[in-house]
Amino acid sequence: SSGINAEWPLRPGVRDADASWRKTRKQLRDDSRWELAALLDADQKEKLFLEHIDNLSNKRKRSFKRLLDECEHVTLTSTWKEIRRKIKHDPRFSKFSEDDKEREAEFSRHIKDRVSLAKSDFKQLLKEIKCVSHKSKEILRGPNGDSHMREIRQFLTNDKRGLVLDDLPEERDRILDDYLAELEKFGPPPPPTATRPSKR
C-alpha cells in the first residue's frame, strides 16, 4: 500500500543511483523500517527499489543538465576537456557520477540536443523571412546578390534564433542555402483560392 511505500527505508536509506538490489537488500534488512514492508513480496520490493533508483538517476541527470545550462562557457562547439575544468568544483559534478566517461557522455548528449534545437529554431525562423521567395536563389546569382543577402542576414540577426548557430557558421549557411534551393525548386506558391460568395 502507499502507506507502506512512504515509510519504507528506500528514500532516506538509498541515495546512490548505482546501487544494486542484491547489495542494498542486505543493508535494508538491518533497518528497523524493513518490517513495515512485510506485506510486500520479493518482486514488489525489488520493483519499488528499481523505481527508486530510476528516480535518483533522473534527478541527478536533471541536476547535471542544469549545471551545464548555467555554465556560461558552454557553447555549441565546446569540448568536454575545457568545460570540465570550469564545472569540476560544483557538487553537482561529482554527484552525477564518479565515472568521468559517464559525465563526458552526458555532456556530449547535452551538446547534441542543443545543436539539434538550434537547427530546428533556425529552420523555423527561415520560414518567417518575408524578403525571400522562390526567386531569391536567382537574385543571389545576379548583380543584386550582395544586397539581397545583406537583407536576409539583417532579418536573421534581429532574432536570437538567427544567432544561435553563429558558432557553426558553415552549418548555418548550408541550412540557409538548402532552404533557398528548396524554394526555387518548388517555384511560386499557389495563388490563394478565390472564395465564391455563398448562395443564400
Side-chain angles (χ1 to χ4, degrees), residues 65-145:
K65 188 177 185 309
R66 275 197 300 273
L67 171 60
L68 294 175
D69 281 333
E70 291 168 13
C71 180
E72 60 186 23
H73 303 284
V74 176
T75 69
L76 299 183
T77 55
S78 293
T79 64
W80 173 239
K81 188 177 179 181
E82 61 182 308
I83 296 305
R84 188 186 187 282
R85 289 199 299 267
K86 306 289 185 186
I87 64 173
K88 64 181 179 181
H89 297 300
D90 191 293
R92 291 171 291 184
F93 175 87
S94 52
K95 279 183 180 177
F96 175 70
S97 176
E98 293 178 2
D99 183 354
D100 205 53
K101 281 190 170 62
E102 194 176 343
R103 283 191 289 248
E104 184 175 4
E106 192 62 29
F107 168 79
S108 297
R109 277 192 290 271
H110 179 77
I111 294 297
K112 188 178 178 182
D113 288 346
R114 280 179 63 162
V115 169
S116 179
L117 181 62
K119 287 181 183 178
S120 177
D121 285 348
F122 187 70
K123 287 175 183 176
Q124 179 56 42
L125 178 62
L126 291 178
K127 294 176 183 176
E128 298 170 19
I129 303 180
K130 298 287 191 290
C131 64
V132 300
S133 70
H134 63 286
K135 294 181 179 178
S136 286
K137 199 81 169 145
E138 186 181 341
I139 295 171
L140 290 172
R141 288 192 288 263
N144 296 320

Side-chain angles (χ1 to χ4, degrees), residues 129-167:
I129 303 180
K130 298 287 191 290
C131 64
V132 300
S133 70
H134 63 286
K135 294 181 179 178
S136 286
K137 199 81 169 145
E138 186 181 341
I139 295 171
L140 290 172
R141 288 192 288 263
N144 296 320
D146 287 346
S147 61
H148 188 46
M149 181 54 78
R150 277 197 300 273
E151 190 181 9
I152 293 171
R153 295 214 181 280
Q154 181 64 43
F155 180 90
L156 293 174
T157 54
N158 284 337
D159 192 298
K160 66 178 182 180
R161 291 172 296 172
L163 304 173
V164 287
L165 288 174
D166 278 358
D167 292 329

Side-chain angles (χ1 to χ4, degrees), residues 48-60:
L48 278 175
F49 169 78
L50 293 174
E51 286 175 0
H52 179 71
I53 291 297
D54 199 39
N55 286 336
L56 283 178
S57 179
N58 289 332
K59 188 177 178 182
R60 71 179 188 178

